[in-house]
Amino acid sequence: MIEYKKVTGNFDLKGKAAIVVGGGGGIGGSTAEMYARKGANVAIVDCKDNVEEVAKDLAEKFGVKTIGLKCDVTKQEEVDKTVAAVVDAFGEINILANMPGYVELESAEKIDIDVVERHIAINAVGVFRVCQAVANQMIKQGNGGKIVCITSQADFIAINKHVGYTMSKAALVGMIKVCALEWAAYGINVNGVAPTVVNTYMGDKAWQGKVKTDMIEAIPAHRFAETDEIAAAVLFLSCDESNMITGEDLVVDGGFTIK
Ligand SMILES: NC(=O)c1ccc[n+]([C@@H]2O[C@H](COP(=O)([O-])OP(=O)(O)OC[C@H]3O[C@@H](n4cnc5c(N)ncnc54)[C@H](O)[C@@H]3O)[C@@H](O)[C@H]2O)c1
C-alpha cells in the first residue's frame, strides 16, 4: 500500500536519502541541487569523473550529507557496489532519480544496430538495473520509496532520426508501468518525467542549426526547457505531495505534444 501522508505543499525532503543517477550535470545536476535545497542527503552517481567534486559543492552549499560515486549503469557489479555504498553512507535509500542518458541520431535505414543496442543498454536496461537494485533495498527497509525516471517527448510522437532513442525510451515507459504496478504493494511509487528538448549537453548534441530553430517554432512555448523546470517536476514526484500518483509519465514539453 502507498500510504496517505498529510500534504503540506512544502515539497519537503528533510532527512531523506536520495540517489541521483546521471547527477554529474544537466537535468541530474539540477535535480540533485533541488533535492539538497529541500533537505535531502544526496548521492551523486554518474560515469563521469566529476562526481566527488559535484557532491562536495552540494554539501558546502546546502549543508546536507553527500557522496559522489562513479558508476556505469551498464555494469551490474558497479551498480550493486554503488547501491551498497549509498546504504553505508546514509543508512537507507528513500528516493531514486534515475536519469542517465545516451543519444546518437541517425535515420532508421542507416543506423548501426550497435548504436541501437547502446541506447537500449543505457536508457532502458541500465535504468532498470538501478531501479531493481534500489527497489530491493527499499523493500528490505519496509517503508516505501520514490523512483522517478526521465523518459522523453519521443515516447509520444515520432521525431526524425530518433529511432534508437525512441525505442529505448518507449521501453522505459513500459518498465515504469510494470514496476509501479508490482511495487505499489511495498509503498513504492514509480513515475517518469517526459521533457521536450532541454538546454543541456544532450539537448545541444541533438538539436543544432535549422532543426533547432524549426523545433523551437513547433513548441507552443517557443523555447526549449531549462534543467530546473524538469527538476521541479522530478521533485514533485519525489515527495509525499504526489503519493497518489504512480505509473505516470508526466509531460513537461511547453505544449509540443498537444497536437
Ligand atoms: N536534454 C534533452 O533535450 C532531453 C530531453 C528529453 C529527455 N532527456 C533525458 O534526460 C536525461 C538527462 O539528460 P541531460 O539532458 O541532462 O543530458 P546530460 O548529457 O547532461 O546528462 C546525462 C548524464 O548521464 C550520464 N551517463 C551516460 N551514460 C551513463 C552510464 N552508462 N552510466 C552512468 N551515467 C551515464 C552522463 O555522464 C551524463 O552526466 C537523460 O535520460 C535524457 O535522455 C533529455
Side-chain angles (χ1 to χ4, degrees):
M1 181 188 175
I2 300 171
E3 278 176 32
Y4 167 73
K5 304 245 175 78
K6 180 78 184 150
V7 172
T8 61
N10 289 336
F11 303 88
D12 188 32
L13 299 181
K14 208 164 184 359
K16 300 278 187 192
I19 304 184
V20 181
V21 185
I27 298 167
S30 275
T31 298
E33 186 164 331
M34 212 162 280
Y35 281 175
R37 185 174 286 123
K38 287 292 175 182
N41 299 320
V42 184
I44 302 290
V45 175
D46 203 294
C47 62
K48 286 201 290 219
D49 287 329
N50 68 344
V51 284
E52 284 179 23
E53 196 187 319
V54 173
K56 190 167 165 273
D57 286 353
L58 216 55
E60 282 171 10
K61 209 162 156 195
F62 297 103
V64 294
K65 281 194 232 164
T66 64
I67 182 173
L69 298 161
K70 203 173 161 192
C71 169
D72 179 342
V73 299
T74 66
K75 309 252 164 61
Q76 187 66 47
E77 61 287 4
E78 289 190 24
V79 169
D80 291 341
K81 234 170 95 183
T82 299
V83 171
V86 177
V87 176
D88 263 2
F90 299 154
E92 60 178 355
I93 302 171
N94 312 112
I95 300 163
L96 166 63
N98 206 352
M99 42 190 73
Y102 167 71
V103 69
E104 204 64 58
L105 302 185
E106 188 48 276
S107 58
E109 75 275 16
K110 285 198 193 132
I111 193 165
D112 195 302
I113 294 298
D114 288 349
V115 174
V116 175
E117 286 184 343
R118 186 158 173 72
H119 282 96
I120 308 277
I122 297 172
N123 299 351
V125 181
V127 170
F128 176 65
R129 203 188 297 287
V130 184
C131 283
Q132 186 186 52
V134 170
N136 276 319
Q137 174 61 30
M138 287 172 171
I139 290 166
K140 197 155 83 180
Q141 290 165 193
N143 56 358
K146 297 277 185 176
I147 296 177
V148 186
C149 303
I150 301 290
T151 59
S152 172
Q153 64 183 4
D155 305 341
F156 301 94
I157 44 156
I159 306 177
N160 273 329
K161 299 192 174 179
H162 273 63
V163 69
Y165 188 75
T166 296
M167 284 168 73
S168 65
K169 292 291 187 178
L172 189 51
V173 173
M175 183 218 81
I176 287 166
K177 288 184 185 171
V178 175
C179 292
L181 178 71
E182 294 189 5
W183 296 340
Y186 305 105
I188 300 170
N189 299 66
V190 187
N191 287 294
V193 171
T196 186
V197 184
V198 187
N199 286 317
T200 65
Y201 167 77
M202 183 180 285
D204 288 348
K205 186 179 170 193
W207 301 93
Q208 286 293 332
K210 185 168 174 344
V211 285
K212 177 175 178 176
T213 46
D214 287 353
M215 186 62 177
I216 288 174
E217 187 63 28
I219 298 171
H222 277 283
R223 64 176 177 86
F224 290 164
E226 299 300 334
T227 56
D228 51 357
E229 295 178 295
I230 310 306
V234 176
L235 170 65
F236 170 59
L237 293 171
S238 304
C239 55
D240 288 336
E241 274 72 3
S242 60
N243 277 4
M244 204 53 184
I245 302 174
T246 197
E248 189 51 73
D249 193 20
L250 176 59
V251 179
V252 183
D253 71 347
F256 183 62
T257 58
I258 291 170
K259 295 165 267 170

